[in-house]
Amino acid sequence: MIYEIYPRSFQDSNGDGVGDLNGITSRLDYLRDLGIDAIWITPIYPSPLVDFGYDVADYTAIDPLYGTMADFDRLVSEAKKRNIRVIMDFVPNHSSEQHPWFKESRSSRTNPKRDWYIWRDGKGPGEPPNNWQSWFGHSAWQFDPATNQYYYHHFYKEQPDLNWRNPEVRKAMYDAMRFWFKRGVAGFRIDAVSRLFEDPDLHDDPIVPGRNAYGDPNILHKYTDNLPDVHEVLREMRRVADEFPGSRILISEADEPNISELTKMYGKNDEVQLPMDFQIADVNKLSAPDFRRLLDEVENNPAGGQPHYFFSNHDQPRQWDRYGDGVHNAQIAKLMAALLLTPRATPLMYYGEEIGMRTTPPARKEDVQDPIGKIGWPEEKGRDGERTPMQWDKTKNSGFSSAERTWLPMPPSAAEYNVESESRDPNSILSFYKKVLALRITEPALQHGSYVAVDRDNPFVLSFLRKNGGKGNSILVVLNMSGAPQTIKFDLASQGIKESSAKPLIAAPRLGPDAAVLAHFTIPAFGVFIGAVH
Ligand code: GLC
């Protein structure tokens, strides 16, 4: 189980209204008690913070806003004492325009670092080299009058793309990875990896009907996304990871359009171990058939890779709002927790989902922090809503910070949904997460058992077995994704299950005494059942 921390928003230790490394260290006991194995911290490198750290100005240092290298080392060693591994975010596609490499590169056409970035002539006066668009709106080319050429940026113009066809760039970036591996990090979540290469012949991208939130014509990012060269880089990164002892881990962020593209990220077990499955994250509705199909697909991926999925992160509205129906959200939060934590996978959760944090977007344009919210307002409000500070307790700023003003405001829901209140309530969302995470440790079938979907034609209820090959329990998971009770006639004999009922381990809401009879199994609206079967 990996837990994503957005460091600006987890815990502020020095009262400046922004979270920091010592803040994370002070909360490690909470994370240990929750039952997680690793934390992934989004970028903490020096940065002008145009994209809140995804614009890196130095790949081998810590931004003073978050602390010092000594603070970082202390975090890694304190985490290790609690069996928590630390995963860094690595941003290879682009640097900040403030990175010394880019400053050199833009200084003249003959500078030795010129070719470290993607520079091209315009088509004509005032005309960019082609129609490629930034993911964050408008042309992906920025004119630089100093040398009369354009540079390419897949994201903001302050994030120029590095040229991965240049061997010096590769060496510098791999050395940066080694720097952190030597400091004891377990691995990297590699940012925007499918965007590393662009068509060298600069073909225009195909235009499709309609306009996006920024008012640009819609295009397919055909010539800037998923070029085959990406895999050569992933193999090289894996070789770097394998230079170090103790199973180091690579995770790729890549919103692959289908399972065959996702599968390629595993390579022949020589690329990343955990490609994030965005297909599952993007279902966006409670649909048993959709989840069944996608779980089957990733389960049977031809590379035999370990599935890795999530529902919330720092780029998309929280699952509370995407899956909640506005009435049963707390129950649905438990349903989503079980869906995340019980299939065969290395799950990834986002800070605060365990207490039911909700998306709280800014109310006014002038409050927006994320630049895409400024460009796209009001249709695109940016990503501030899913990045609000962690809700620890009922004290000032919910225990996040002693500052007068925190970098994003505390959501009003913090008074009810916070760690302290929920820790005292055995039926809270937090208590539910803890129970399921603990069960993953005590029931080997949830760690190592195979995954078999059962009752496969049910349009409302997703049910599956985690089958223990050895002597222990197998686990039956039943998730009702509808707002009405459902009755199921399970026939599990063909799966080698001999008993006629399941022994309840976790159920929400609680079930009656006969509820677990397999031939007549009734599950309440949005109910979750996890039981042992033999
Ligand atoms: C990834 C990050 C996102 C960032 C972008 C550019 O998608 O998750 O937050 O803005 O890359 O680096």
Side-chain angles (χ1 to χ4, degrees), residues 92-95 115-120 129-135 140-141 150-155 159-166 169-170 191-205 221-230 233:
N93 179 66
H94 46 269
S95 74
D115 185 49
W116 281 42
Y117 293 84
I118 319 277
W119 292 97
R120 292 287 186 279
N130 65 13
N131 76 346
W132 292 349
Q133 278 174 20
S134 159
W135 195 251
W141 295 100
Y150 288 80
Y151 65 85
Y152 175 74
H153 56 93
H154 192 97
F155 296 94
Q159 294 169 298
D161 272 44
L162 284 155
N163 177 12
W164 277 84
R165 293 202 168 85
N166 183 324
V169 168
R170 292 194 188 191
D191 183 68
V193 75
S194 57
R195 278 108 205 215
L196 287 187
F197 290 91
E198 301 75 35
D199 170 27
D201 299 329
L202 303 193
H203 284 99
D204 273 340
D205 272 332
H221 294 267
K222 177 172 173 188
Y223 292 106
T224 60
D225 219 357
N226 267 324
L227 269 61
D229 317 53
V230 165
V233 169

Side-chain angles (χ1 to χ4, degrees), residues 4 6 40 42-43 50-55 89-94 135-136 154-156 159 189-193 195 253-255 276 278 313-316 370 372 383 387:
E4 178 188 354
Y6 198 69
W40 149 36
T42 64
V50 171
D51 195 14
F52 291 108
Y54 284 97
D55 45 329
D89 211 310
F90 193 60
V91 191
N93 179 66
H94 46 269
W135 195 251
F136 289 159
H154 192 97
F155 296 94
Y156 296 127
Q159 294 169 298
R189 173 268 192 188
I190 313 166
D191 183 68
V193 75
R195 278 108 205 215
E253 185 217 25
D255 44 351
M276 291 180 175
F278 274 76
N313 70 16
H314 62 283
D315 290 327
Q316 54 189 347
D370 183 12
I372 59 173
R383 297 164 291 180
R387 297 174 175 180

